[in-house]
Amino acid sequence: MTTDISTTRSDGDERDGTMRPALFRAVMRHHAKGVAVITAGDDAPVGLCATSLASVALEPPHVSFAVGLHTASWATMARAPCVIVNLLAEGQEDVARRFARPGAPKFGPATWHRGAFGLPVLDGVLASLVVATVSVQTVADHALVVGRVLDACPGVSAGPLLHHNGEFVRLASPQ
């Protein structure tokens, strides 16, 4: 059975079912996301900023996140049996920017320590999760990683760092 995904938009423009990347990016900017830094590496630590973190299951706990296949960190993360998911707190915009920049030094100015399994854990985060990779699926130019949460370590008491419309934002205080 085949499905024809061609559509006609209301303006009469024919589509083949493929979303233009610029339009997709513009639409997704309206979706507020929590910011995490995924870290790995026994010898030389690596890390990247991710806004794709999602809870997948509670029993047992699993999360997922996406990693660009061409990022400098992917080769290390692909081989790592476990990674650390660091949930960033409000006020950690500089950390998010540093880990989002390709080729920039990540760990030099960042305060961090070796945590469970000798993995790099960032200091000052809301919490960190030790995640064992259970599944990796290639999706276009990214790897969708699903992992089982082995441990969680609470961090600072603060609000989360959020990303919305291309900027880092804070939650509004309740009235």
Side-chain angles (χ1 to χ4, degrees), residues 21-168:
L23 176 59
F24 181 66
R25 185 176 294 114
V27 169
M28 291 306 293
R29 288 174 66 115
H30 295 290
H31 178 64
K33 301 159 286 288
V35 183
V37 169
I38 315 298
T39 56
D42 295 330
D43 299 326
V46 299
L48 57 93
C49 188
T51 57
S52 58
L53 180 68
S55 173
V56 174
L58 288 176
E59 293 185 26
H62 283 70
V63 295
S64 69
F65 56 90
V67 180
L69 295 172
H70 304 295
T71 63
S73 301
W74 176 238
T76 299
M77 289 189 183
R79 293 187 309 271
C82 292
V83 300
I84 299 289
V85 174
N86 299 275
L87 304 178
L88 297 190
E90 60 188 8
Q92 290 191 299
E93 294 90 349
D94 60 330
V95 175
R97 285 186 182 94
R98 184 171 46 253
F99 280 89
R101 277 194 305 268
K106 312 282 191 222
F107 288 89
T111 18
W112 62 283
H113 64 278
R114 294 281 178 183
F117 305 102
L119 294 171
V121 179
L122 301 180
D123 295 331
V125 298
L126 290 176
S128 59
L129 306 171
V130 180
V131 176
T133 302
V134 296
S135 172
V136 176
Q137 176 71 40
T138 300
V139 180
D141 61 349
H142 279 66
L144 178 62
V145 179
V146 176
R148 182 174 180 170
V149 179
L150 303 178
D151 196 14
C153 301
V156 301
S157 178
L161 181 62
L162 299 176
H163 194 258
H164 176 260
N165 202 23
E167 298 179 8
F168 294 109

